[in-house]
Amino acid sequence: MRIRVVNPNTTTTMTAGIARAATSVAAPGTVVEAVTATMGPASIESHYDEALAVPGLLEQVRDGDRDGVDAYVIACFGDPGVDAARELARGPVIGIAEAGYHAAAMLGRRFGVVTTLARTVPRARELADRYGYGARLSEVRACEVPVLALEDPESRARERVVEECRAVVAGGADAVVLGCAGMADLCADVSDTVGVPVVDGVSAATVFTESLVRLGLGTGKRGEYAPPPPKPVVGLLASFDLRDATDGATA
Ligand code: 2AL
C-alpha cells in the first residue's frame, strides 16, 4: 500500500519530521511517501498562505493518482484543499485536523487544540464545527511559535507547547490535539509530560488512511467528489488543465 503524505508548505526539513511521524506508525508493508509541494509558501499560517498552498498540494495528488498512490494525507492543520484533493483522488484523502479531531473525540468527552499563532485559532475552531465536533472542542490555544521556528531549539517550542497543553487540560479537556504538522516530532514527549492523550494529526491521518484502504474504501465519486468538469485553465495555472487527463482533448 502506498500512502502519500503531502506537506503543502515548501520547507523540506518540515517534510522530514512529517515523514518520521508517519513512518513510525505505518504498518509493515505500507510505503509512506512524504512529499513537499514544489510551489507555494514556506509555511502556512494565514488564509493567504493556505490559498497559495493549494495548487502545489493538488499537483501532488493529481500525479499520485496517475502513479497508483492508494491514499493521501494533507499534512497541514488548516486542511487546505482537502475537498479539491478528493475530487482528484480515487483513494481516501484525510486532513490532519480532521484526523486529529476524530481521534481525540474517541479518546475523551472534550478535547482542546494547541496551535502555532493566535491568528490560526479561528480556523481550528471552524474546522471543528465543520467536522461536527464544535460542542466537543473545549478551547484552542496558541503557543505563539511561528511554524518554521518550531524546528529552532531557541524558540523553546517544546516548553511553550507543554505550557499551553497544560492550560488546555486545566480547562477540562480529556485530550489535546497538536495544531501543526511541525509539532509531530514533539507529540510523544509532550503526551508523557502532560499526562493526557496528545494527538498528532499526521500519525492519526496516516493510520486512518491505511485502515480505510485496508477496508477497501475510497472517496465516493458519484456526486460532490466526482472528477472536476474539465475546462481551460490559463495563465500560471495552465498545467492544471485536466482535459488531457480526462478526455484526451488538447488545450
Ligand atoms: C500549519 C501546518 O500544519 N503546516 C503549516 O505550514 N502550518 N499549521 C498551523 N497551525 O500553523
Side-chain angles (χ1 to χ4, degrees), residues 35 56 101 104 110 134 153 182 185:
V35 297
Y101 291 173
R110 299 209 308 155
D185 273 341

Side-chain angles (χ1 to χ4, degrees), residues 110-131:
R110 299 209 308 155
F111 62 88
V113 176
V114 173
T115 185
T116 52
L117 303 182
R119 65 180 300 151
T120 68
V121 168
R123 179 75 173 145
R125 285 211 187 97
E126 180 189 21
L127 290 174
D129 286 336
R130 175 182 169 161
Y131 300 132

